[in-house]
Structures are given as C-alpha cells and as structure tokens.
Amino acid sequence: MEKFCPNCGKEIKGEADFCPNCGYKLKKEKISKPSQPIIQKNGDETRSQIRHSKKKPMSKRNKIILSIVGVLAVLFICFYAWGSSYYSEHNQVRRIVSALKDPNKKVSQYITSTDPDLKVTDPLQRYYSNHKTQADNAIYALEHQTDSYGVNFEQTGRYFLLFPKYKLQVPAFTPTVRTNHSNSEVKMNGKNIGKLTGSASDYSKKLEPILPGQYNFSIKSTVQGRKLSTTAETDIWSNKTVNLNIKTETLEIKSLPDGIVYINDKKVGTLNSKGKLLLKEYPISGNMNLYVRATVNNRTIQSKTIDNLSEGLDYASDGTDTISTDGNKYVIKPEWKGFSK
C-alpha cells in the first residue's frame, strides 16, 4: 500500500518517522493517500496539480475576433497616416487654389466670406483662372501668413472627426459704380444693379456686398437720340469706384455744303447749306475715323479720311488745324485732295 506525507504529499517508502522531503513527523499519524488537493502554506498549487493541469485552448470565435481587431488596427494606422498628409493645411491650400484656377470645377464648398449672408458665386474663380500667377502667389501668402489681399485660411470643422477642415475666407466689398449720363442702365455680370442717382454729369450707386474677383460691367444710355453703350472687365479687390463714363464730345464738322459726314463708315448727318454739321455729345471711342462725301458737278468725291479721331481730339488746340477747339466743342475740317485748307 502506497503511503504519502500528509504535509507535502510526497510518497513515503518503507517505515519512517519523518518525511524525507519536508521533515514532517510521521509517528502516530495515519498515512494515507489524500482525497483533496494539498495546498502549501504559501498558497501555491501542489507540484502534483501543476504537473497534471492542462491549458484550455482558445475558441475559434475568439481567434476570429482577435484577427478582426488586429486587421482593423492596422487599417486605422494606415488611414490615419494617409489622412494626416492628405488633409494637412499645406495640401488643402494647394488643392483649393488649384480648383480656383480651373473654371470647370465647383469651389463653393471651399469658400466662405466675412459676410455670412453673402452667397458664394464665381467671380473669384474667374479672376484666378485668368490670373494664374496671382493664384500661385496666393498659395505662398496663405502658407506663410503674409498679405493675401484679405484672403485667409481658417479651420471650419473636421474630416472624419480626425483631420482639420479648412476654407478660404474672403472679404466682402461694396464698390461704387459711376457714370456721366442719367437714366443709364447698368448691369453687373448680366444682372441689372438698379437706378443710379445724381445730377449734371455725375451719377452713381453703391453696390451691395460682393465677393472679390473679376466682374463684367455694361452700361447703356440714350444721349441726343443716340443709343450709347460700353462694357468693362474690372477686378474688384477693394471698395473701389468703377468708372463707366461714356466719353462724349460736341463736334462741329465744316466742309462742302450738303456733304454727307461718315464716322466709322456710317452716315451720321448732312452738312447744311453753309457746310456745317453740329453733333452734340457724340460718343467717342478708339480707332474712330471720319470723312465727308459730296457731289460736285454730278460727280461724287470724298475727303481725306481722318484716322484715330479720338487721339486727334486729345491733342487738339486753338488754331486752323484739321482738328481744333472752339470753346466747349471741337471743330473738324476734313482735307480734300486738290483743295487747299
């Protein structure tokens, strides 16, 4: 019959008064196989229990969960590294300005204004698409926080709750439109801006707040029964005055009686019996030319053409030249081949 030490559980061979393993006194003690696990004084499992215990294997379900968690952790690390670069302030500046240079891209999502009630339209994009060097300069100014005509780069939120989201904040301007004719119809980018007020030869209107950028202005007026019009492409980057004056001058043409006066090959009037024609507030533009046709002895003759009439008016002075001044009017005397002045 096997014997075991009641203290340490070590097998005892033969008759002994003390346990050869732990020194426990065996005399007068009944040595038998313990029915319960013997715990050492320090609370550790017995050597027998450690030797016979087995580790429980991980379930398939737990293995799958751990695998998924590991893959997701790797994906998140990769996504965060990519997002930190893609959504960096430097790269967002370059993407937004690049979009502004392309008239086919929508940029309203990238733009905000100092005036919260102002609707984002396309003049800024039109400006940068036509001034690409200025767009590149804006990139440098925004990245180095230098003067960029009031345009700033500000954080307006976050992408995926992780990466900063930036927009261009542009100022709002209230320019003034001015012209020298009453009852003028003025349009900005094809939209009527309303009535201008004033007197004499000074009529104006202060516009509602608009974004900076490139704008097209057009004006139509009726002066002395003639319909006048002009257009202008203007860059708005301040509360500037947009001058839409239509230059007009009073012209007196002197030549052969009953002659017909042509400006830019278009008949504008007939000389009276004294050889005079007065054109009040006639619109002046570049590259104008003027000549007179008359009938002499049943033969049509034509004067020499006065080219660059508008330039000639700028240099006119009192005297007997082809173009001269007389008070508030210009006197024009076309020359004739074979005729003296």
Side-chain angles (χ1 to χ4, degrees):
M1 181 178 178
E2 295 180 342
K3 299 178 181 179
F4 297 90
C5 175
N7 183 55
C8 67
K10 183 71 175 180
E11 183 180 355
I12 304 298
K13 294 181 179 181
E15 295 294 333
D17 295 332
F18 298 94
C19 175
N21 181 57
C22 66
Y24 183 78
K25 186 176 180 180
L26 301 176
K27 190 176 181 180
K28 298 181 181 180
E29 295 289 340
K30 183 178 181 181
I31 302 174
S32 62
K33 185 176 181 179
S35 59
Q36 297 295 331
I38 304 302
I39 306 300
Q40 293 181 343
K41 292 180 181 180
N42 59 6
D44 293 333
E45 292 183 353
T46 64
R47 292 183 179 85
S48 176
Q49 287 176 309
I50 295 173
R51 184 170 56 249
H52 293 92
S53 65
K54 293 184 179 180
K55 186 177 180 181
K56 185 178 181 181
M58 183 182 296
S59 67
K60 184 177 181 181
R61 178 175 176 274
N62 288 343
K63 289 181 179 180
I64 294 175
I65 292 174
L66 287 176
S67 298
I68 293 175
V69 170
V71 170
L72 291 177
V74 172
L75 290 176
F76 177 79
I77 292 172
C78 294
F79 172 74
Y80 188 82
W82 168 83
S84 297
S85 173
Y86 184 80
Y87 292 110
S88 68
E89 181 176 351
H90 169 80
N91 286 330
Q92 287 193 59
V93 166
R94 292 182 174 272
R95 279 197 302 276
I96 292 174
V97 176
S98 177
L100 285 171
K101 293 162 65 174
D102 186 348
N104 297 317
K105 289 188 176 180
K106 293 186 179 297
V107 296
S108 59
Q109 59 181 319
Y110 302 128
I111 310 296
T112 185
S113 174
T114 53
D115 185 340
D117 297 326
L118 187 60
K119 181 180 179 181
V120 175
T121 53
D122 64 348
L124 187 66
Q125 188 173 19
R126 187 184 303 120
Y127 173 82
Y128 280 130
S129 64
N130 292 328
H131 300 79
K132 291 183 170 56
T133 300
Q134 297 297 338
D136 294 335
N137 292 340
I139 292 177
Y140 179 88
L142 290 168
E143 289 183 340
H144 294 81
Q145 298 182 351
T146 60
D147 182 23
S148 56
Y149 300 99
V151 178
N152 296 307
F153 208 52
E154 65 167 14
Q155 185 176 338
T156 59
R158 287 188 172 275
Y159 291 103
F160 308 108
L161 303 178
L162 296 173
F163 313 111
K165 181 179 183 179
Y166 294 98
K167 283 188 176 183
L168 283 184
Q169 184 186 66
V170 296
F173 297 117
T174 53
T176 298
V177 174
R178 175 170 279 113
T179 186
N180 57 345
H181 295 288
S182 61
N183 300 319
S184 295
E185 179 186 340
V186 180
K187 292 184 178 181
M188 180 181 69
N189 291 348
K191 184 178 180 180
N192 199 317
I193 68 169
K195 186 177 181 180
L196 281 68
T197 59
S199 61
S201 59
D202 187 9
Y203 300 87
S204 63
K205 180 180 177 66
K206 187 174 183 179
L207 301 182
E208 295 295 323
I210 60 174
L211 288 178
Q214 185 175 335
Y215 289 82
N216 175 273
F217 289 90
S218 64
I219 181 171
K220 292 181 179 179
S221 298
T222 300
V223 180
Q224 298 293 321
R226 288 184 294 272
K227 292 183 178 180
L228 312 180
S229 64
T230 188
T231 61
E233 288 284 343
T234 304
D235 296 334
I236 303 294
W237 284 95
S238 65
N239 297 321
K240 65 186 292 184
T241 296
V242 181
N243 191 331
L244 295 177
N245 286 349
I246 300 177
K247 185 179 180 181
T248 59
E249 299 291 353
T250 297
L251 310 177
E252 184 179 50
I253 296 91
K254 293 183 177 181
S255 192
L256 298 178
D258 302 318
I260 299 175
V261 180
Y262 291 84
I263 295 180
N264 289 346
D265 299 317
K266 181 180 179 180
K267 178 181 176 180
V268 296
T270 302
L271 298 162
N272 62 20
S273 59
K274 295 182 179 180
K276 294 182 180 181
L277 173 65
L278 187 65
L279 300 175
K280 293 183 177 180
E281 292 195 82
Y282 194 86
I284 304 300
S285 60
N287 299 320
M288 291 177 67
N289 63 70
L290 180 149
Y291 58 85
V292 175
R293 284 180 183 170
T295 300
V296 178
N297 297 326
N298 295 321
R299 185 168 65 93
T300 300
I301 59 176
Q302 181 173 312
S303 71
K304 293 181 179 180
T305 299
I306 301 175
D307 292 317
N308 296 322
L309 179 61
S310 59
E311 183 177 342
L313 298 178
D314 291 337
Y315 292 97
S317 60
D318 294 338
T320 59
D321 294 334
T322 302
I323 302 175
S324 61
T325 59
D326 182 10
N328 61 352
K329 66 182 178 181
Y330 290 92
V331 179
I332 302 172
K333 299 176 180 179
E335 296 180 2
W336 294 82
K337 188 176 181 180
F339 286 75
S340 59
K341 292 184 179 179

